[in-house]
Each structure stands twice: as structure tokens, then as C-alpha cells.
Amino acid sequence: MHFMISALATVAVAIVIPAQSYELRGGELDTLHIKDAPDTDPPNPQFFEPAMDLEYFANLDPKKFEWVNPDEIKPGETTCGFLTAPLGWDVEEVDIVYPTVKVYVCVTFAKQQPAPRGNMAVHCGGPGSLTLCNYVMALQFDEEVKSSYNIIGFDQRGMGRSDPTFVIPECAAHMHADAKKLNVNFGNEQSIRDAAQVYKETHLACWNHPGFQLGTVQKDGTSKAFHFLEYSGTRQLAEDIERVRRIFGSQQLSIFGISYGTIVMGTYATIFSDKVNLMVLDGSVDPNSDIVSRELDDARAKQERLDYFIASCEFGNGQCGDTDVRTCLNDVSTMVDWLGEEIGDWLAPVRKVLEFFGMQTGKNIVMTTLISMIWSDFSQFSRVCEYAAKDDYGSFMDWFLAMLLGSTEYEHDLSLPFINITLGNTKFSFEYNTDSKPTSSEHADADWPFEGYGELAALTSVTQDMITAQDMAFGAYDEDRYVKFMHDLHMEYPGLGTGMPARWVQQWYSACYYWPNVTPLPPIGNPSMKGIIAGQLFDPATPYIWTQKMRDHFKSASLLTSRSVNHGISAAIESMAANKSCYANILRYLKSGRVDFVDGTVCEANHIGDSCD
């Protein structure tokens, strides 16, 4: 799922556990004893093999991997280069000559060299997070971790500076001439049908784009064509990670994936299990490749999260005061129903922006915005409820516009707090989007690596759609089936009148609609693989049931659960000391090579109102 991961100010946690004669799940030792030791303890050679020295990295075979600026290969520096890879995985017994592709790879070299804990491949999610993930992880790791691993990030095939690219208008449904039809009313079957037609036309036009036909001459002199959109999914990224591991040395590779990155690193651990040293999967995505079951899980989780928000007030969350939140929201829903079509005129100043993001100027967006604003400012509860109970439509509309726009005047500059999209708001004190540095797709106005890339990557779902379409199976190839699935899902999970569950599912399920040729992933998992599978009970992007499934697929790994409502344990806000301690379990593992907590450990979290950002 595509979210920037918040920086986490971690705290050092030293604990003493009495020596015992058993091994915790994920542990590698017979006697467990975590001592109160300084951070300068050298890495245990039982768990870590140092990476190759910098001279080795500077002298790689440029036919396989070529640095953009080898002068930047220094301790603590970040620099990038291009992997030259065959389109498919070479098998000696299969006499096929593949065309080659270029994959952009960045390395943040450890301050200690050779890196004493080896190399670590990272992926921050999306699909579409790119090599900027190197910097994101640097913000999460403490100094000891950062200084002892070489961190490796990737612009996976089709994205960023990798070549070829599938980030083109023909593959972006929101660039379709009838993109406004994607603003679906899920209670109206014709509205769903209109959107289905847009997706179908987009996917066929994308698939038939001539730029995806890659040809090469075979050993017998004949020509053979390959379709790039059959060779640019998650499995190919896992293969490229393995190619980089081999080029960078023979050591095992530690892997860290967040959100969709858990699919990337989970796939690597499935295919190349004997090449993995340490493994952390945080905020897991469903390890299976069935788009139908995945999206049913997703919709249910979105509904349950909203239900929990309301229930938290009944549990005694003091921030809610004496307000009966459930009755209040029902009153607001009734009032908005009464306003009817007047809502369209009322939201006229934001209609174009809403439509661009696939949102209708109707009840759904009012309820979604209302819930978002209330939970970010509990003090507004009593005021909204009073307006709704008295059917005071005028005061409610004035309040809503003031909260939404900062003013009741239509001419006011728009600031839309309910659209949680990073449009250049995230600032890094690192160099990126330059010739030899990491790539970011988070800035809509960025013309890097080519003109218009930022708009396509940040404001459409093209990167997510292209990967989902390749990776997943069982998408709909019948319009009636598509319509029924979306309509029934919305009826089952209305999201407190927001339509949020169906709107979230729309993107992912639609990516597979009428996709000509899928290349689904194998079921992810390995019963012998140890590591940490982390998840949040009410994660807004990746349902906790997926974390449970991922842990079941990696039966020897250890489950770490947070009661947070954030996306990823690493996304805990500054005030959540309990969640910092939860993340400290991961940091200790990366330092010691051992899991020192009991499988199934659950970390506390603050009240949901404090957890929600």
C-alpha cells in the first residue's frame, strides 16, 4: 500500500531476562540471556558475516552493475547505479536469450566498513516507494543499526529510473478521457458499470502499447518477442534482489519490508530462502494471490476500524466526553440525506479536486471528511452533534466549510486535510532525484526521472495497478460479475455512510479487471524461516488478518502485534512511548540476530484518539 512511513524517534531499551533452557520461536540460541550491554558490542559472528570492503564495491563488473558516480562509494554515503539484468530468470537447460533491462539500485554504505552486519535489502511499500526507501529507513534505524549495515534499495522494474517504464498515461485509468466515471456511486449499479468500462479500455490500451514489446535474436537466429508486463512484477523484483546479492558478494542478505514491501521480501524469502539472514516484515499484505479474498478482507477491516473508532468512546476514551458518538453520526447521516442534491452545490469549490481523486461531491465524501476531522479534533464532537440533533443545516454547513477550507468563503485557497496524499509535503535533508542519488515519486510537480513522472506516479495509481495486475489471480472478466462484487461489498460494508471500504477496494480489485495475462506469485512462506512478522490491530492500510496469515505462512517466525491504529509499527507518532518500545524489539533483533520476545507479544498503545494522525 502506498504510504510514506513516518520517522520514528526510537529509544534504547535494555532488558534482562533470566537464563532459561528453551528457545523462543525465531531465536537461534539454546540459552536466552539479553544482557545490559553497551551499543558498541561487536556483532556476533554466529549471526553476522561482514559485507565486502569498499574497494570490492568500487570495482564491480560494469557489464553487470555500473555505478553512476563511483567516487561516492564512501562510509556513510549513499550512491546509486544500474543493474543490467535479463528480462527473465536464466536457466541453463532452457535455451532462451532474453532482452535486458536496467534496474536502478541505491546503496547507503555503513559508516563502519566493511559493514560488520552485512547487507540489508529494504522496500517501503507502495508499489512505488522507490529508492527513497533508503532514507526512510535511515530515519527509523538508530545509529548502531545504520552504521553497521549497507542498506540497499530499488527502483523496481517499470518505475523510477529503471528502464523500460510502465509509468505512462495509457496505463493510468485516471488519465482516461472518461476518468470522471471512476467517481462511483456504489449503491448504483450503472455507476459501477460505467467505471468498469473505463478500467477495461485502459487495461487493453495499456497492454497493447507497442513500447512493451521487447524482442531479441535467439541462438538459432530467429527473433522472439517478450511482453514487458509479464516480466515486471514482484517475482522479477525478488530475482533482481538476488542478482544484486550475488554481485555484491556471497554473504546472506538481511531483508526488511514494510506494507507491500512485505510481499517483495516475503517472495524473496520464499524463492531464495537459503540466502536470507534476518527477516522483518512489518504491516503485511496478504501472502496469497487471490484478489477476491484479499479485497473482502480489506473491506471488512476498513469497516471494523471505523466501528472500533466509535466503540472506543464507549470504552471510556475521555476525549469523546459525554457525547453519544453512534447516535451523533446517525443524526448527521440523516441530516445529510435530507440535504440531498444540495450537497453538490455546497461542495462546488472543491468538486474538481475531489473528482481527480475519484471522489464524488455527495454524502460519502461528507461523512468521510466529517469522521476524519472529528477524530483529529475531539473538541468538535459536541458542536457537530448539537447541530445534527437540532437539524441546524445552516450552522452545520458553515462549520463544515470552515473546517474543510479554513473559511466559509469559496475563494479561499484550498487546503484539503482529508486527502491524505503526500504532495511534496515530506521534506528530507538528503539529496535525491539527482543523477547518482535515490529517486522519489512523492512530488506531483517533479519532472524526474522524466517530464510528467511525478504527476503520474503521485496522483494516479499506475504503479500499484501494474504490479497488482501482474501479481494477482482471479480478477473479473465479466462486467456483471465485477458490478455484483463491488455492489454487494458496499452493501455489506457501508463504512458508516462513508463508502470508504468499497472506495478503497475499488482501486485494487479494478486493477485486475480485464487484465489480459497475469503472472501470479507463488504462495508466500517457508516453514523454516525465522524472523519477525509485525502488524497493527487496526492498521488503516493493511488489515491485521494479513499479518496473521503471513505469520502462518512463516511458521518459525515470531509475531509482534501492536494495538496501534497506524500503518506499520514504525509509523507510531512521537507521543506513543509504548509503540517505541514495540519497535525496539525489531532494533534489538537487527543488532543481536536473535528474537528475544515471546511469539505473539502484544504491545500497548495509547487511546485511539492519540494514535490517529
Side-chain angles (χ1 to χ4, degrees):
M1 309 300 179
H2 195 190
F3 294 89
M4 288 304 302
I5 310 301
S6 303
L8 174 64
T10 56
V11 292
V13 177
I15 62 173
V16 178
I17 302 176
Q20 303 177 53
S21 60
Y22 65 86
E23 179 179 341
L24 297 183
R25 184 181 299 277
E28 291 284 357
L29 62 165
D30 294 326
T31 302
L32 179 64
H33 181 75
I34 308 302
K35 64 179 181 177
D36 186 3
D39 285 347
T40 55
D41 274 4
N44 189 333
Q46 178 183 356
F47 304 111
F48 300 102
E49 180 182 2
M52 305 301 289
D53 60 30
L54 294 186
E55 183 178 359
Y56 176 91
F57 279 94
N59 291 284
L60 299 177
D61 182 353
K63 293 181 180 179
K64 296 180 179 179
F65 190 96
E66 185 171 15
W67 299 104
V68 176
N69 185 357
D71 292 339
E72 294 177 340
I73 301 175
K74 300 176 182 178
E77 293 293 321
T78 299
T79 193
C80 310
F82 288 92
L83 167 73
T84 299
L87 189 66
W89 188 256
D90 284 329
V91 179
E92 291 184 6
E93 292 77 12
V94 180
D95 202 16
I96 296 178
V97 178
Y98 290 105
T100 58
V101 297
K102 297 288 187 180
V103 180
Y104 194 61
V105 181
C106 294
V107 181
T108 300
F109 288 101
K111 291 182 179 179
Q112 303 176 53
Q113 287 295 331
R117 289 184 170 90
N119 297 323
M120 179 192 297
V122 298
H123 198 291
C124 290
S129 67
L130 306 180
T131 43
L132 192 73
C133 186
N134 285 46
Y135 293 156
V136 174
M137 301 307 293
L139 294 172
Q140 295 178 23
F141 293 153
D142 64 13
E143 189 60 33
E144 182 181 354
V145 174
K146 286 189 293 187
S147 65
S148 58
Y149 285 94
N150 293 328
I151 307 300
I152 308 170
F154 298 80
D155 284 5
Q156 69 189 93
R157 295 186 183 193
M159 306 180 201
R161 295 190 67 189
S162 295
D163 186 57
T165 184
F166 50 50
V167 182
I168 60 175
E170 290 84 352
C171 295
H174 281 90
M175 294 294 179
H176 190 281
D178 289 329
K180 63 182 181 180
K181 292 181 179 179
L182 302 181
N183 305 334
V184 177
N185 175 357
F186 294 103
N188 184 313
E189 292 190 2
Q190 185 57 50
S191 179
I192 302 173
R193 203 172 295 278
D194 290 343
Q197 187 61 35
V198 172
Y199 287 117
K200 178 179 178 180
E201 291 177 3
T202 299
H203 294 164
L204 293 180
C206 175
W207 183 266
N208 292 320
H209 190 276
F212 296 140
Q213 294 294 328
L214 307 180
T216 188
V217 177
Q218 300 300 297
K219 293 180 178 179
D220 62 5
T222 62
S223 296
K224 183 176 177 61
F226 301 84
H227 201 297
F228 182 61
L229 297 182
E230 294 179 290
Y231 292 91
S232 50
T234 300
R235 181 169 61 84
Q236 284 73 33
L237 174 54
E239 292 170 356
D240 290 337
I241 293 173
E242 174 59 11
R243 292 184 177 100
V244 168
R245 186 199 69 83
R246 295 180 182 184
I247 292 171
F248 286 0
S250 59
Q251 301 87 347
Q252 287 185 316
L253 182 70
S254 292
I255 55 178
F256 198 127
I258 302 171
S259 192
Y260 161 71
T262 64
I263 295 297
V264 174
M265 297 308 170
T267 299
Y268 181 84
T270 301
I271 300 175
F272 303 106
S273 57
D274 61 326
K275 310 304 181 186
V276 176
N277 187 24
L278 306 187
M279 177 181 74
V280 178
L281 305 180
D282 182 15
S284 292
V285 177
D286 188 355
N288 297 306
S289 295
D290 180 355
I291 191 64
V292 175
S293 64
R294 175 180 288 190
E295 295 316 310
L296 288 174
D297 284 345
D298 207 1
R300 187 187 75 174
K302 299 295 184 292
Q303 181 70 49
E304 289 173 347
R305 189 172 190 263
L306 289 169
D307 291 343
Y308 183 72
F309 280 10
I310 293 178
S312 70
C313 291
E314 300 171 1
F315 297 156
N317 184 350
Q319 296 182 80
C320 304
D322 297 326
T323 303
D324 184 339
V325 180
R326 196 177 302 274
T327 298
C328 172
L329 290 177
N330 286 336
D331 288 344
V332 172
S333 179
T334 300
M335 181 170 60
V336 174
D337 284 338
W338 185 89
L339 288 170
E341 295 182 2
E342 187 177 344
I343 293 175
D345 296 332
W346 175 36
L347 295 176
V350 295
R351 178 181 291 114
K352 289 185 178 179
V353 177
L354 293 173
E355 289 179 349
F356 186 87
F357 285 98
M359 304 176 188
Q360 287 188 315
T361 50
K363 177 181 179 180
N364 286 352
I365 194 59
V366 173
M367 296 301 295
T368 300
T369 308
L370 177 69
I371 290 173
S372 175
M373 289 190 295
I374 286 176
W375 257 281
S376 64
D377 186 358
F378 275 95
S379 66
Q380 300 295 327
F381 253 140
S382 58
R383 180 182 302 182
V384 173
C385 297
E386 181 180 351
Y387 295 152
K390 294 181 178 180
D391 292 332
D392 187 349
Y393 309 113
S395 296
F396 176 75
M397 286 190 290
D398 287 343
W399 172 86
F400 188 88
L401 284 174
M403 291 292 290
L404 182 63
L405 307 178
S407 169
T408 58
E409 300 297 326
Y410 287 0
E411 294 78 15
H412 192 278
D413 289 339
L414 301 187
S415 59
L416 304 174
F418 62 92
I419 298 178
N420 188 23
I421 302 292
T422 305
L423 302 179
N425 297 322
T426 302
K427 302 296 183 184
F428 293 97
S429 57
F430 309 101
E431 182 182 351
Y432 58 98
N433 285 357
T434 58
D435 279 343
S436 61
K437 298 299 181 182
T439 316
S440 168
S441 63
E442 300 300 320
H443 301 271
D445 58 350
D447 286 331
W448 183 267
F450 54 81
E451 185 176 357
Y453 184 91
E455 181 178 358
L456 278 165
L459 299 183
T460 79
S461 58
V462 62
T463 55
Q464 296 98 319
D465 294 347
M466 293 299 98
I467 298 300
T468 303
Q470 293 180 70
D471 286 357
M472 302 302 293
F474 310 118
Y477 292 94
D478 176 78
E479 187 177 285
D480 291 340
R481 183 178 300 278
Y482 176 90
V483 172
K484 177 176 172 53
F485 178 85
M486 292 303 306
H487 181 269
D488 290 354
L489 181 141
H490 176 63
M491 293 296 104
E492 179 72 15
Y493 305 111
L496 305 178
T498 65
M500 186 187 301
R503 193 157 309 283
W504 185 277
V505 165
Q506 177 187 356
Q507 172 194 331
W508 305 98
Y509 184 69
S510 300
C512 300
Y513 179 60
Y514 256 90
W515 188 253
N517 204 9
V518 301
T519 52
L521 296 173
I524 293 172
N526 183 301
S528 302
M529 181 69 61
K530 298 182 179 182
I532 295 177
I533 310 294
Q536 293 59 244
L537 283 174
F538 294 100
D539 190 311
T542 52
Y544 182 66
I545 185 63
W546 293 348
T547 294
Q548 288 277 337
K549 289 181 179 180
M550 189 70 83
R551 162 60 182 78
D552 187 53
H553 285 219
F554 288 100
K555 295 185 182 298
S556 296
S558 297
L559 177 63
L560 180 64
T561 298
S562 166
R563 291 194 178 113
S564 167
V565 299
N566 295 286
H567 181 40
I569 284 180
S570 56
I573 60 175
E574 293 294 325
S575 64
M576 296 176 64
N579 254 35
K580 293 177 183 178
S581 297
C582 201
Y583 193 69
N585 288 292
I586 295 175
L587 293 179
R588 293 197 309 275
Y589 170 63
L590 295 178
K591 297 172 187 178
S592 70
R594 305 170 298 188
V595 174
D596 59 38
F597 58 86
V598 176
D599 181 31
T601 290
V602 179
C603 305
E604 296 293 339
N606 289 6
H607 285 302
I608 194 166
D610 296 330
S611 304
C612 257
D613 52 17

